[in-house]
Amino acid sequence: MPMNDPVSRRALLAMAAALAPAAALGWPRAAGAQDTAAPAQAAPAAPQKFSFDVLSDEMRLLATKPHVTAPAPEGFLGDLNYDDYRLIRFRDDRARWAESDGRFQLAAFHMGWLFPEPVRIFEVTGESATEMQFSTDDFEYLNDLAKRVPEHAKLPGVAGFRLNTPLNRPDKWDELTAFVGASYFRALGRNSAYGLSARGLALNTATDRAEEFPRFSRFYMQRGAGDTITVYATLEGQSVTGAYRFIITPGTETVMEITCRLFFRQDVAELGVAPLTSMFLFSEKNRARFDDYRPNVHDSDGLRIERSDGDVIWRPLNNPTQLTGSYFAETAPRRFGLHQRDRAFDSYQDTGARYERRPSLDVEPMGDWGVGHVRLVEIPSDLEGNDNIVAYWVPEAPVKAGDAREFAYRLYWGDLPDDPTAPLAIVHETRAGHGGISGVEVQQGTRKFVVDFKGGMLAELEADAAVEPVVTIANGELTGTTLEKIADTDIWRLVIDISAADAAVVELGGHIAGYGRKLTETWLYQWINAK
């Protein structure tokens, strides 16, 4: 499967979740598995000098040389297919640091199949790093696969890793974060279930040039004295090299403080910093396209941007009929991210996927990122197994060969609930359907949007308050608006009717204002008038 296929992107992460260590998820051992004592681990490699600056200098020098792809693995590693890979488990009794009194344990993902290139993992102590050694003794191979795997064979590397910690209860080791596949990673806040993911970098996503997927080739683990762990990584790709530092602190909101130093071998058509990847299939505004018992299916339902002046943009996500990209011009935004705002089980009715528990993810720039755009890419999808939503920061200055860039930011993983004391009402729900008056023949080329605002100072106003809708439209015609407060609630409903020519891409915006101020978030939406 090609890596620029959205199905492939999600396959990497789905497989990672499926191959969790037995102890971490409380799974029983497979029938017939032996509980023999683990053989001794291989002797550690010689330590090497390490610091973030040393790593950065190494990657700066590497960027002056051609990119080299690791050769295809040989032997049983090269023969592994999808069915084989599903029969491999990391042995829970081989978790690194399990015998220590620290707050983290590490388990590895096996090489092979979608992960042909070795990833090397080191442990940092003081100013030196020592490579962790992995062998077939660290993994359990089920059924007939066990006969094809050599015993005690040293592996050239792994596919990635996961970290476990007592995130939800002091007596249970929960999965906290996983890094596997290209530069993809994801994490959990307290009581979250895996959903969207992040990447180290996005290059040429949905442009006229082929998208590149540089990969994290090495990781360096530095355990702290408390609840924080620092992970360093090297990024390698055709157009770029990089050195990354992740300072990870688990909690109700798990926080990653990230610094990336990037060194470019080639010009880049579009640089995507702090890229986020998610899934949106349907909700109230496009559910008519899906014959499904569930009211909503999505990992995230909106892009939220907090601008430098405190204004807030809410852009509901969409599953369009054609690939679309939206650019939101910003100067030094405070935060942006993909949110799962709806937290009610009744909104999803899925006892397996538990979409109401999928984490939101915010990017908080550290320092002044200057002028640029938050870009949102929406890819048509018929399956919830496809990651079809991407969002990232695009700096204004183009990237040229020989450039070096550094970015620092924080990622916040968790529910990220809206502040009930905030002055602005939030966009509570977006619904859509045929335009015009209900009960009469539908007029082609029309659309009705119903936007509910909830909370803030607006909620305290009476229905006859002197407030008004402010609606903007580009590439279409506004045919009507109404605004009312829904009786016995704190919700104000804005109804927008529009018309547009065939194939028109219509950009909409709306908010409520009154008493000399803005009273709500700014609702933005893109509608394509497809037949």
Side-chain angles (χ1 to χ4, degrees), residues 484-504:
E484 63 176 335
K485 187 174 186 181
I486 300 177
D488 302 320
T489 74
D490 63 350
I491 294 174
W492 286 75
R493 174 164 290 180
L494 172 61
V495 179
I496 303 170
D497 275 284
I498 67 171
S499 63
D502 291 346

Side-chain angles (χ1 to χ4, degrees), residues 463-477:
D464 59 354
V467 297
E468 61 180 1
V470 179
V471 178
T472 61
I473 184 170
N475 211 23
E477 181 182 354

Side-chain angles (χ1 to χ4, degrees), residues 4-234:
N4 61 348
D5 183 338
V7 178
S8 302
R9 304 181 191 194
R10 190 137 183 116
L12 299 176
L13 301 171
M15 183 58 67
L19 301 180
L25 296 181
W27 289 351
R29 279 190 173 276
Q34 297 181 1
D35 288 314
T36 57
Q41 295 184 17
Q48 56 186 253
K49 183 179 180 182
F50 180 83
S51 72
F52 189 35
D53 288 338
V54 168
L55 196 67
S56 301
D57 289 341
E58 179 187 352
M59 302 315 291
R60 186 193 306 273
L61 178 61
L62 187 62
T64 65
K65 304 174 182 179
H67 175 58
V68 177
T69 302
E74 299 179 348
F76 87 97
L77 289 174
D79 295 336
L80 292 175
N81 58 30
Y82 170 79
D83 292 326
D84 295 330
Y85 203 84
R86 296 182 64 190
L87 299 176
I88 303 174
R89 301 283 186 271
F90 188 85
R91 290 173 57 98
D92 51 282
D93 59 349
R94 301 287 287 185
R96 303 309 193 251
W97 312 322
E99 302 303 321
S100 72
D101 59 357
R103 304 292 292 172
F104 298 93
Q105 294 182 7
L106 180 145
F109 297 106
H110 202 282
M111 278 185 62
W113 185 48
L114 287 178
F115 315 105
E117 296 182 283
V119 172
R120 299 164 63 193
I121 301 178
F122 297 74
E123 181 169 11
V124 177
T125 304
E127 296 181 354
S128 64
T130 304
E131 186 169 3
M132 294 182 180
Q133 304 295 313
F134 293 92
S135 74
T136 55
D137 296 330
D138 289 307
F139 295 88
E140 192 171 36
Y141 304 89
L142 305 180
N143 303 341
D144 291 341
L145 178 61
K147 301 174 183 178
R148 295 162 40 201
V149 176
E151 293 184 339
H152 316 309
K154 181 181 177 181
L155 297 174
V158 293
F161 70 92
R162 68 175 71 244
L163 292 174
N164 296 336
T165 192
L167 181 64
N168 298 300
R169 290 172 17 190
D171 62 338
K172 184 177 183 296
W173 289 83
D174 301 298
E175 187 170 331
L176 171 68
T177 185
F179 287 70
V180 62
S183 67
Y184 283 91
F185 60 96
R186 54 184 182 171
L188 298 170
R190 192 161 294 140
N191 298 316
S192 295
Y194 269 144
L196 80 171
S197 58
R199 268 191 285 170
L201 202 64
L203 294 177
N204 306 330
T205 302
T207 65
D208 57 2
R209 292 175 57 176
E211 183 169 8
E212 293 184 34
F213 291 85
R215 73 183 191 100
F216 288 138
S217 56
R218 283 175 279 151
F219 291 99
Y220 297 79
M221 309 289 169
Q222 186 173 31
R223 291 181 289 164
D227 292 338
T228 295
I229 186 169
T230 302
V231 177
Y232 302 88
T234 57

